[in-house]
Amino acid sequence: QLQLVESGGGLVQPEGSLRLSCAAFGFTLEYYAFGWFRQAPGKEREGVSCISSSGDSTNYADSVKGRFTISRDNAKNTVYLQMNSLKPEDTAIYYCAAAEFTCGPVTDFHAWGQGTQVTVSS
């Protein structure tokens, strides 16, 4: 059984911060790249950030670059997304997902979490 469980979402004010966590069960984390995606109502799911299996490569959507940081702790079987300087436009359900080795298109991700809601509002 493979499972990803996101946590850490919530309601924050603009310019606030949140750290999302993605706990992985049934994975050997070193073989997997992990991505964070988000989807707002009426919008397409978009990639936010991804970290390669080795951790030596990361990428970010232009809209979050400089504000969000992805990291991983294989010993804790957990992937993180630190979100700073949050904007109302960041409001969405955030999902983590796993792909083999490299960060590619969304279709490469075969395991998904249930999502955690992030709401940025004053």
Side-chain angles (χ1 to χ4, degrees):
Q1 180 178 332
L2 304 179
Q3 187 178 17
L4 301 175
V5 180
E6 302 98 334
S7 62
L11 174 63
V12 297
Q13 295 185 359
E15 301 302 316
S17 297
L18 285 173
R19 189 178 74 164
L20 305 184
S21 298
C22 176
F25 302 89
F27 286 77
T28 301
L29 256 63
E30 65 186 271
Y31 299 125
Y32 293 92
F34 284 87
W36 286 97
F37 300 80
R38 67 186 182 186
Q39 187 167 26
K43 304 291 186 180
E44 298 295 322
R45 184 172 298 186
E46 64 173 338
V48 176
S49 183
C50 190
I51 185 166
S52 65
S53 59
S54 65
D56 65 350
S57 179
T58 59
N59 59 47
Y60 299 90
D62 288 343
S63 59
V64 307
K65 195 171 299 182
R67 299 187 296 120
F68 291 10
T69 303
I70 191 170
S71 62
R72 61 192 296 160
D73 187 337
N74 289 355
K76 295 183 177 180
N77 282 7
T78 303
V79 180
Y80 303 97
L81 184 68
Q82 178 66 46
M83 305 186 295
N84 298 326
S85 301
L86 283 161
K87 304 175 180 179
E89 304 93 276
D90 296 318
T91 296
I93 301 174
Y94 284 71
Y95 301 87
C96 67
E100 291 186 358
F101 298 112
T102 59
C103 297
V106 66
T107 51
D108 287 351
F109 292 83
H110 54 270
W112 292 80
Q114 83 288 349
T116 186
Q117 177 71 47
V118 172
T119 302
V120 185
S121 176
S122 59

